[in-house]
Amino acid sequence: AGRGEVVVFKGKVLPIFRLHRLFNIKEAVEDPTKGLLIIIGEGNQRCALLVDELVGQQQVVAKPLGDGIGKVQGIASGAILGDGRVGLILDAQGISVLARQTSDLGMPKEVVRWSGT
């Protein structure tokens, strides 16, 4: 309907949000056929995130980011990884809200222009 990029998953149409555009990450995968779509959500609200790759999986203890960083929309908390780096834990609902608030909804400019938004 000209409202953005979508994918059909288990018979349901889900919006695709380009994570690199929401967080202004340079040199990310732009072509959805070369990246991965990760389905996230809370309750019955779902969306697909376009990401470059999955690096791995590990169990971590989530910690608040603290007052120094403050609240970052789309980020729930952080965790110290095994190699000492900090990994950010995404907030599914926050990412969905952020994507909907973003003027281009994480979509290519041509789609936004065509939809009239």
Side-chain angles (χ1 to χ4, degrees):
R3 296 189 307 171
E5 295 175 298
V6 297
V7 64
V8 177
F9 178 72
K10 294 187 176 181
K12 297 191 183 227
V13 177
L14 305 177
I16 297 174
F17 300 133
R18 294 171 176 258
L19 200 57
H20 69 278
R21 289 189 182 162
L22 296 176
F23 292 108
N24 197 24
I25 298 170
K26 306 292 183 214
E27 300 180 22
V29 172
E30 290 278 342
D31 181 353
T33 64
K34 302 223 184 308
L36 295 171
L37 289 175
I38 299 176
I39 309 300
I40 66 166
E42 273 188 75
N44 60 0
Q45 297 272 332
R46 303 247 183 268
C47 66
L49 299 179
L50 176 63
V51 300
D52 292 359
E53 65 179 319
L54 290 178
V55 178
Q57 178 181 338
Q58 57 183 282
Q59 293 184 5
V60 296
V61 176
K63 298 284 187 183
L65 293 176
D67 294 334
I69 295 175
K71 176 78 172 124
V72 178
Q73 190 164 6
I75 305 295
S77 57
I80 298 175
L81 304 177
D83 62 4
R85 295 181 299 146
V86 174
L88 298 176
I89 298 171
L90 301 178
D91 168 23
Q93 182 180 11
I95 286 177
S96 183
V97 168
L98 178 63
R100 285 179 171 82
Q101 288 175 346
T102 303
S103 62
D104 68 356
L105 294 176
M107 298 180 294
K109 298 291 183 196
E110 311 81 66
V111 175
V112 173
R113 204 172 309 116
W114 179 72
S115 70
T117 58

